[in-house]
Amino acid sequence: MRFVKNLYMGESVEKKKALIKWKLNHGSGMLSSYVIALTKCGDDKLEIYHNAVLNQKYYRKYPPCVVGIAGSFEEAALLSWKIMSDAGAENGNYDLWTYFGLDKEAK
């Protein structure tokens, strides 16, 4: 699993950041954790996954680039809105790859 340097965390999971990252890397189950990731196609879009989806073989072979973690789907939706608004305020556009300092070709 790849995590960006300035990872966004929801309020309900803020204090458990290290534990949740460890569990995501090791495929350990959690009832309510959602991951916000950049799309693989290089578009400036975000995807929300339940953590159980990331245990599939495809995501083990091609791990997503995680930019946020939330405790519920609603919190993940609000957090993704915050990510987009922060990127727009800083860059003047919504280029998430540049905002997080990533290379689009290195997906």
Side-chain angles (χ1 to χ4, degrees):
M1 194 87 37
R2 295 178 348 187
F3 298 96
V4 295
K5 183 179 174 183
N6 50 344
L7 187 67
Y8 280 77
M9 298 295 291
E11 290 180 14
S12 64
V13 295
E14 184 74 42
K15 294 180 182 176
K16 305 173 194 173
K17 180 179 179 177
L19 177 64
I20 292 175
K21 282 176 69 174
W22 185 88
K23 285 186 172 190
L24 285 170
N25 277 325
H26 291 86
S28 183
M30 294 175 279
L31 289 177
S32 60
S33 286
Y34 288 81
V35 169
I36 303 165
L38 292 170
T39 58
K40 290 272 186 195
C41 58
D43 292 339
D44 294 316
K45 296 177 185 173
L46 297 171
E47 298 175 330
I48 299 174
Y49 301 107
H50 187 271
N51 69 76
V53 172
L54 300 175
N55 288 331
Q56 297 175 8
K57 284 183 183 180
Y58 175 83
Y59 294 108
R60 289 285 171 209
K61 189 172 182 179
Y62 306 104
C65 183
V66 177
V67 297
I69 301 173
S72 68
F73 185 82
E74 292 80 16
E75 187 177 43
L78 290 172
L79 195 58
S80 63
W81 179 82
K82 180 174 176 23
I83 292 169
M84 291 296 290
S85 63
D86 287 353
E90 183 175 310
N91 295 342
N93 60 20
Y94 297 100
D95 185 4
L96 296 174
W97 290 86
T98 303
Y99 177 68
F100 287 109
L102 302 171
D103 183 21
K104 284 187 181 184
E105 276 67 26
K107 302 174 219 127

